[in-house]
């Protein structure tokens, strides 16, 4: 089993960042306004006093967030502002979560998954997949692996959207995902398939397969309303060469089902049951967020994560080891102002939660065993050389050929720190003899080439000197010069021989 390194790098505790995205509309409410520089939303609500009753409700609401994404914001701008910093941390081994929250029909699924009509309408999930594989290609020295799961929570039951069972005709036929807690308190998802994606096309095909299995229905608020919570989970493993440690990080991209008021929409039958389950799970989510905020103030210890499967799966993302960002979606029509204010209140509670994200670096026993075996083999060779074991045996021609191969491989090695291992002291001495032969062979080849080049120049110089000094006796000085050159070359050979 993989063991977590005790000395992993800890990150500074930071609050969950919250962004609010405004859905485009032709006629926003008169009381709605925003200030991008301050990251502030303003709502002015008129007091209504039916039957002459006194209404003391608040009319002016102001909310501050880490960023406001106005109506004209493109999908690429949303990705750059929200997802890119989280993905960069995931590549370094830090868990990340991005989840969208808001009323039904406010643009959550469009933000997370995207639209199907234009390529520019791609959401965070397909853009994240493309960004990850581009990062893999730009770091060829690191080995990356990507695994994908797709979980749907429908009526508080989990289902594997990437199941390949041919007999499944409806959602209930898919494998039901069960929660299990190990001895360390970590939540494990049983029956949730983990699929490896070797290229971008594989990951996109998995996304399309999961989207076709999602539960979608027509409601008074949305023609294609997703009636469940969906989590697209990506595990990223990275390993540097000659390293025993592996960094493993997971990225959750969560599309929460939209909250809706049953009394306002007037749905009945199956849609009413789905809406009740959605609102209940979102209520449990808000309970967890309130409990985390009270725990940070020292007023509470217990956090009710186990109330629903949604809060259990998001346990690390809320107040745990994770870098989390929330995208709240708001509709600004006059009929939706109340729900938008409720979304902003929920977002402000989320912004109070602190997470402690750390680098998830683990020691891989298989890699460590492989490295230790290599070191043991080198130490055995060194020990054999020192103890002179095997020197009494006859040195055969095959042993001599092996020495030549070892020397040839050593000379062709580009790594200057690569060790020379031969196995015994006898082979070590013979290898040095081979190395000396190779050296002198190359030295003689260089001398012959130099002598051939200087011969032509010397002949031309000699003819010129003969023409200039005809009748003079030049034989004796020439012989003396050659003898001096030979003596100097012999001294150089003796010095190099001594150095070797």
């Amino acid at each position: 089993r993989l063991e977590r390194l005790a000395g992993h790098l800890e990150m500074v505790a930071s609050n969950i960042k919250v962004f609010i995205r405004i859905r485009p509309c032709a006629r926003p409410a008169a009381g709605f306004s925003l200030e991008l520089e301050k990251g502030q939303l303003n709502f002015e609500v008129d007091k209504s006093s039916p039957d002459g009753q006194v209404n003391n409700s608040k009319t002016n609401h102001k909310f501050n967030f880490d960023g406001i994404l106005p109506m004209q914001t493109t999908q690429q701008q949303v990705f750059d502002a929200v997802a890119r910093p989280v993905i960069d941390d995931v590549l370094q081994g830090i868990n990340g979560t991005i989840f969208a929250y808001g009323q039904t029909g406010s643009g959550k699924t469009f933000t997370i998954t995207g639209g199907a009509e234009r390529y520019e309408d791609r959401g965070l999930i397909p853009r994240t997949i493309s960004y990850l594989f581009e990062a893999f290609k730009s770091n060829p020295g690191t080995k990356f692996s990507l695994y994908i799961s797709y979980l749907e929570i429908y009526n508080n039951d989990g289902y594997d959207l990437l199941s390949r069972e041919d007999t499944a005709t409806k959602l209930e036929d898919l494998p039901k995902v069960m929660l299990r807690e190990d001895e360390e308190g970590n939540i494990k998802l049983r029956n949730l398939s983990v699929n490896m994606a070797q290229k971008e096309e594989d990951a996109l095909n998995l996304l399309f397969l999961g989207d076709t299995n999602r539960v979608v229905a027509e409601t008074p608020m949305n023609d294609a309303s997703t009636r469940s919570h969906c989590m697209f989970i990506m595990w990223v493993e990275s390993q540097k060469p000659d390293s025993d440690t592996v960094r493993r990080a997971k990225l959750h991209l969560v599309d929460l089902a939209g909250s809706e008021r049953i009394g306002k929409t007037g749905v009945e039958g199956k849609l009413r049951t789905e809406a009740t389950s959605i609102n209940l799970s979102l209520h449990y989510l808000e309970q967890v967020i309130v409990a985390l905020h009270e725990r940070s103030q020292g007023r509470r210890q217990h956090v009710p994560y186990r109330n629903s499967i949604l809060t259990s799966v998001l346990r690390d993302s809320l107040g745990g080891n994770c870098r989390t960002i929330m995208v709240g979606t708001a509709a600004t029509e006059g009929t939706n102002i109340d729900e938008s204010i409720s979304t902003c209140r929920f977002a402000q509670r989320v912004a109070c939660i602190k997470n402690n994200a750390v680098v998830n670096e683990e020691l891989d026993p298989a890699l460590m065993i492989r490295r230790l075996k290599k070191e043991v083999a080198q130490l055995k060779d060194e020990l054999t050389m020192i103890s002179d074991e095997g020197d009494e045996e006859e040195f055969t021609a095959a042993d001599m050929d092996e020495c030549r191969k070892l020397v040839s491989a050593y000379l062709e090695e580009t790594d200057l720190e690569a060790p020379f291992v031969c196995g015994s002291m006898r082979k070590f001495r013979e290898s040095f003899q081979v190395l000396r032969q190779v050296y002198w062979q190359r030295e003689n080849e260089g001398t012959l080439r130099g002598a051939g080049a200087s011969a032509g120049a010397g002949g031309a110089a000699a003819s010129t000197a003969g023409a200039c000094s005809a009748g003079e006796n030049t034989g004796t000085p020439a012989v003396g010069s050659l003898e001096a050159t030979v003596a100097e070359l012999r001294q150089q050979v003796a010095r190099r021989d001594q150095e070797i």
Side-chain angles (χ1 to χ4, degrees):
R1 195 180 70 179
L2 297 177
E3 296 180 358
R4 185 178 301 275
L5 290 177
H8 54 255
L9 178 65
E10 290 197 5
M11 307 296 291
V12 178
S14 60
N15 289 57
I16 295 178
K17 290 187 177 181
V18 177
F19 293 83
I20 297 296
R21 186 177 190 182
I22 309 301
R23 190 187 72 176
C25 67
R27 295 180 179 178
F32 168 76
S33 63
L34 58 86
E35 299 180 31
L36 291 179
E37 296 181 356
K38 297 181 179 180
Q40 186 176 35
L41 289 181
N42 302 317
F43 296 94
E44 291 285 346
V45 182
D46 295 333
K47 288 186 177 182
S48 58
S49 302
D51 300 330
Q53 297 178 2
V54 178
N55 186 359
N56 291 325
S57 60
K58 185 178 180 180
T59 59
N60 185 13
H61 303 270
K62 293 183 179 181
F63 303 96
N64 293 312
F65 301 103
D66 295 287
I68 304 295
L69 305 173
M71 298 182 187
Q72 64 272 18
T73 305
T74 63
Q75 294 284 68
Q76 182 62 41
Q77 291 172 340
V78 174
F79 175 81
D80 293 336
V82 175
R84 189 185 296 270
V86 178
I87 302 172
D88 291 337
D89 288 339
V90 169
L91 291 171
Q92 300 300 321
I94 302 173
N95 295 334
T97 295
I98 301 173
F99 70 94
Y101 177 91
Q103 75 175 105
T104 181
S106 58
K108 299 180 302 301
T109 303
F110 182 78
T111 300
I112 298 296
T113 305
E117 297 180 358
R118 299 188 306 167
Y119 184 76
E120 292 79 6
D121 291 340
R122 292 177 304 150
L124 294 183
I125 295 179
R127 292 178 185 273
T128 298
I129 292 174
S130 300
Y131 186 83
L132 283 175
F133 279 98
E134 290 177 0
F136 296 167
K137 293 179 181 178
S138 61
N139 293 277
T142 305
K143 180 182 178 182
F144 290 96
S145 299
L146 178 64
Y147 303 90
I148 293 176
S149 298
Y150 209 166
L151 171 66
E152 180 175 33
I153 301 176
Y154 177 71
N155 290 341
N156 205 33
D157 291 327
Y159 297 94
D160 181 15
L161 290 179
L162 299 182
S163 174
R164 302 182 186 274
E165 294 185 4
D166 298 333
T167 58
T169 58
K170 56 183 182 298
L171 181 67
E172 288 74 7
D173 295 335
L174 296 176
K176 185 174 291 188
V177 178
M178 307 297 293
L179 292 180
R180 294 291 182 268
E181 189 171 349
D182 59 14
E183 62 275 6
E184 297 179 358
N186 299 320
I187 297 296
K188 305 296 182 182
L189 300 175
R190 187 177 179 181
N191 294 334
L192 182 65
S193 62
V194 179
N195 304 269
M196 184 176 183
Q198 297 182 350
K199 54 183 182 294
E200 183 178 351
E201 183 181 357
D202 297 340
L204 292 176
N205 288 337
L206 292 172
L207 172 61
F208 297 151
L209 174 62
D211 286 341
T212 56
N213 291 329
R214 291 187 65 174
V215 177
V216 179
E218 181 178 355
T219 67
M221 299 289 293
N222 190 357
D223 293 338
S225 175
T226 53
R227 311 303 292 168
S228 60
H229 311 295
C230 285
M231 300 182 187
F232 192 82
I233 308 172
M234 289 181 281
W235 284 274
V236 179
E237 294 185 2
S238 61
Q239 175 194 348
K240 295 184 178 180
D242 300 329
S243 175
D244 300 338
T245 59
V246 178
R247 288 184 175 181
R248 291 184 172 92
K250 59 183 177 180
L251 174 61
H252 290 88
L253 296 173
V254 186
D255 178 17
L256 296 176
S259 60
E260 58 184 83
R261 296 184 180 182
I262 299 177
K264 183 178 180 180
T265 58
V267 294
E268 296 293 341
K270 184 179 179 181
L271 293 179
R272 185 184 184 91
T273 304
E274 293 172 347
T276 302
S277 177
I278 292 171
N279 292 337
L280 182 61
S281 61
L282 294 177
H283 171 68
Y284 289 142
L285 177 62
E286 187 169 6
Q287 278 187 344
V288 169
I289 291 171
V290 171
L292 288 170
H293 180 52
E294 292 178 353
R295 188 177 68 175
S296 64
Q297 297 177 344
R299 295 185 295 161
R300 185 169 182 170
Q301 293 296 327
H302 174 68
V303 179
Y305 287 111
R306 298 183 181 180
N307 284 349
S308 68
I309 185 174
L310 175 65
T311 54
S312 297
V313 175
L314 294 179
R315 184 170 183 172
D316 282 343
S317 304
L318 302 173
N321 173 23
C322 189
R323 182 68 56 81
T324 303
I325 289 183
M326 171 188 167
V327 180
T329 55
T332 57
E333 293 86 354
T335 56
N336 297 321
I337 288 297
D338 291 341
E339 290 293 330
S340 298
I341 293 175
S342 177
T343 299
C344 291
R345 288 172 177 166
F346 178 85
Q348 282 198 330
R349 296 190 190 101
V350 173
C352 297
I353 299 175
K354 288 184 179 292
N355 283 0
N356 296 301
V358 299
V359 176
N360 301 285
E361 199 171 39
E362 298 174 337
L363 187 65
D364 194 331
L367 297 177
M368 183 179 65
I369 291 173
R370 189 184 310 166
R371 179 181 60 83
L372 292 177
K373 284 184 177 180
K374 184 178 179 180
E375 292 182 1
V376 168
Q378 293 180 357
L379 292 175
K380 284 184 177 180
D381 289 341
E382 294 177 5
L383 184 61
T384 302
M385 290 172 52
I386 295 174
S387 59
D388 289 338
E389 292 182 1
D391 283 357
E392 301 299 330
E393 299 180 0
E394 182 180 358
F395 197 77
T396 62
D399 295 333
M400 194 65 188
D401 291 338
E402 184 181 355
C403 290
R404 293 192 183 96
K405 292 180 181 179
L406 290 173
V407 171
S408 177
Y410 180 73
L411 293 176
E412 294 175 357
E413 177 64 49
T414 57
D415 186 6
L416 300 179
E417 297 182 358
F420 179 75
V421 180
C422 56
S424 66
M425 186 61 69
R426 177 67 182 275
K427 289 183 179 180
F428 189 75
R429 289 196 294 265
E430 295 295 336
S431 297
F432 260 84
Q433 293 291 338
V434 173
L435 185 62
R436 174 180 288 182
Q437 294 174 6
V438 172
Y439 172 79
W440 281 115
Q441 182 179 359
R442 295 183 179 180
E443 188 73 17
N444 291 335
E445 292 176 355
T447 303
L448 290 175
R449 286 195 297 269
S454 61
S463 61
T464 304
C468 295
S469 58
E472 294 184 3
N473 185 12
T474 58
T476 302
V479 172
S481 177
L482 290 175
E483 289 179 350
T485 302
V486 170
E488 183 179 356
L489 290 174
R490 286 177 178 174
Q491 290 178 1
Q492 292 180 4
V493 170
R495 286 197 299 269
R496 291 178 179 176
D497 192 16
Q498 184 63 29
E499 291 175 358
I500 294 174

